[in-house]
Amino acid sequence: MNAPHPAPPRLTAPEDEARRLDAADPGHRHLFHVPPADGGRYPEAAYLAGNSLGLQPLATRDELLADLDAWGRLGVEGHLEARRPWLPYHELLTEPAARLVGALPAETVVMNSLTVNLHLLMVSFYRPAGRRTRIVIEDSAFPSDSYAVRSQARFHGLDPDETVVRLRPRPGEDTLRTEDVTGYLAAEGDRVALVLLGGVNYLTGELLDVPAITAAGRAVGAIVGWDLAHAAGNVPLRLHDWDVDFAAWCSYKYLNSGPGALAGAFVHERHLGDPTLQRFEGWWSTEAATRFEMTPVSRPPATVEAWQISNPPIFSMGPVRTSLELFDTVGMTALRERSLRLTGYLERLLDEVTAGRPLTVLTPRDPARRGCQLSVRIGAGSAAELAKRLRHEHGVIADAREPDVVRFAPVPLYSTFHDCWRVAEALAATVAEVAR
């Protein structure tokens, strides 16, 4: 049952303005399942949690059922005889994934989960020696990245508290400046083995300057890798042209491939076929043409597929393939342009709401320094409790990061200007103004 209607909002921006903007700039909401509202006066939720889990494309169910039907009809023969044969199925994802992140097909593969891929890549690219042992991350890195790099340091017999360097914003600031990252690398680069940062910070929504930081890291002899969990499908990427050494990303946020969906990995072509690189290997690491000769020694191809290990999970690949086809159809350039319009509109509305309330937007105001996320710090109470009220009283689904940050992501594929207006309306009605 819906909660009682909230008190009239104290928001001067008119609702019909949002409706007019949607009529002129409709996006692709019609291609997705949108959850029903769990409160408020609108039938559908204003879903701004795509930075945590993207919505399900309408096409996913039928496409996945078609792959399941092939198993039912063909059994083991589906490896070669299915409409989308399972043996080379992962190749269907390679080119669209490469286009999405600005890479060559030989540099791109969809496999495993994000942190597993980061570990497999660090086996090859984190090679501490002598003074050069440090791993540089951001202090607000997603916990999984922190755990991963600390465990890599321990694996090499190093003290993670000394090996892992956590770069913090300047006092009184919430986001890293590019010059502070590059400045640290210039000063301490001879001790840095690996730079591993998030392309878009999960907490603040800040888009880091990937090409500048990559160039600075490589200039001092460090390997530079990127966690693109919040960047892939959110902002345009040019991993090959930017000379990134390696990268990994998940597919369940902006790529809308379902909870726990398969992840992606990138290795720059200059590293492909390098016999000096250490790698963990398995059946899928050997070249496809000789895989079924069942020989005891792997013959890895000179592509990123050499980092594969296991037989790919077909029914997990299907939703990723469906999503990548959608990105190919719409295009990242068009999505980025719409993202800037949506996020800019939400920012304008939040400026009005936050002015008289204990709310602060942490995300950079410069559109070039952010993706489609605005993070709001609340000055009192619990972020989780506020997110709960937004959902159950107003039908607004956002994402809380305790203790005090609520994240709003107007995803350009399916979010609307009216969704953004509903966020501002709900905050205005829920968070009391500060007495003056």
Side-chain angles (χ1 to χ4, degrees), residues 5-11 41 357 394 425 428-430:
H5 290 176
R10 288 169 289 182
L11 183 68
R41 63 184 188 275
R357 293 173 174 81
H394 302 275
E425 176 205 35
T430 305

Side-chain angles (χ1 to χ4, degrees), residues 50-51 96-102 108 114 198-201 207 210 226-239 242 247-257 262-266 323-324 327 332 335 371-372 411-413:
N51 54 350
R99 286 190 286 271
L100 183 76
V101 299
T108 313
L114 170 58
V200 173
N201 183 267
L207 169 60
V210 177
W226 291 90
D227 176 344
L228 302 176
H230 288 264
N234 180 5
V235 295
L237 298 167
R238 301 287 182 269
L239 299 185
W242 294 341
W249 59 94
C250 62
S251 298
Y252 53 83
K253 302 180 189 299
Y254 295 103
L255 299 186
N256 312 301
S257 300
L262 284 174
F266 162 90
S323 171
L324 290 173
F327 275 86
M332 272 308 302
L335 287 174
C372 62
V411 176
L413 270 172

Side-chain angles (χ1 to χ4, degrees), residues 292-362:
F292 283 89
E293 292 180 4
M294 304 302 208
T295 56
V297 179
S298 173
R299 287 181 281 187
T303 72
V304 72
E305 290 188 358
W307 275 264
Q308 294 181 115
I309 292 179
S310 299
N311 192 352
I314 302 304
F315 305 134
S316 295
M317 286 198 154
V320 182
R321 179 187 55 77
T322 301
S323 171
L324 290 173
E325 289 177 356
L326 182 57
F327 275 86
D328 259 353
T329 299
V330 179
M332 272 308 302
T333 298
L335 287 174
R336 177 59 171 168
E337 290 171 355
R338 186 165 192 269
S339 173
L340 294 172
R341 295 191 294 271
L342 273 173
T343 308
Y345 177 67
L346 177 59
E347 180 182 54
R348 175 162 65 85
L349 298 178
L350 290 180
D351 282 346
E352 177 186 338
V353 175
T354 59
R357 293 173 174 81
L359 302 170
T360 305
V361 177
L362 308 182

Side-chain angles (χ1 to χ4, degrees), residues 156-323:
H156 287 277
L158 301 169
D159 181 349
D161 291 332
E162 295 181 358
T163 302
V164 178
V165 176
R166 307 181 69 90
L167 297 183
R168 295 176 173 84
R170 297 182 184 188
E173 299 184 1
D174 295 301
T175 55
L176 280 172
R177 298 189 187 190
T178 298
E179 58 266 32
D180 290 343
V181 180
T182 58
Y184 175 84
L185 293 173
E188 301 287 340
D190 65 331
R191 303 193 66 179
V192 176
L194 173 65
V195 180
L196 182 60
L197 301 172
V200 173
N201 183 267
Y202 89 98
L203 184 65
T204 67
E206 178 189 18
L207 169 60
L208 296 184
D209 191 335
V210 177
I213 293 172
T214 299
R218 297 198 63 239
V220 297
I223 290 287
V224 183
W226 291 90
D227 176 344
L228 302 176
H230 288 264
N234 180 5
V235 295
L237 298 167
R238 301 287 182 269
L239 299 185
H240 176 82
D241 293 344
W242 294 341
D243 262 352
V244 168
D245 287 297
F246 72 87
W249 59 94
C250 62
S251 298
Y252 53 83
K253 302 180 189 299
Y254 295 103
L255 299 186
N256 312 301
S257 300
L262 284 174
F266 162 90
V267 174
H268 198 279
E269 68 172 345
R270 66 177 169 275
H271 299 300
L272 303 178
D274 181 351
T276 68
L277 283 178
Q278 295 296 324
R279 264 191 328 270
F280 288 159
E281 294 182 344
W283 191 24
W284 239 248
S285 307
T286 197
E287 59 186 18
T290 60
R291 183 170 293 138
F292 283 89
E293 292 180 4
M294 304 302 208
T295 56
V297 179
S298 173
R299 287 181 281 187
T303 72
V304 72
E305 290 188 358
W307 275 264
Q308 294 181 115
I309 292 179
S310 299
N311 192 352
I314 302 304
F315 305 134
S316 295
M317 286 198 154
V320 182
R321 179 187 55 77
T322 301
S323 171

Side-chain angles (χ1 to χ4, degrees), residues 19 42 58 114 142 240 297 357 359 405 432 434-435:
R19 297 291 195 189
Y42 302 97
L58 295 179
L114 170 58
F142 193 77
H240 176 82
V297 179
R357 293 173 174 81
L359 302 170
V405 174
V434 176

Side-chain angles (χ1 to χ4, degrees), residues 65-85:
L65 286 175
D67 287 335
L68 278 167
D69 288 344
W71 180 26
R73 287 185 297 103
L74 297 168
V76 70
E77 304 301 341
H79 281 90
L80 297 176
E81 296 180 14
R83 180 166 67 90
R84 292 184 284 263

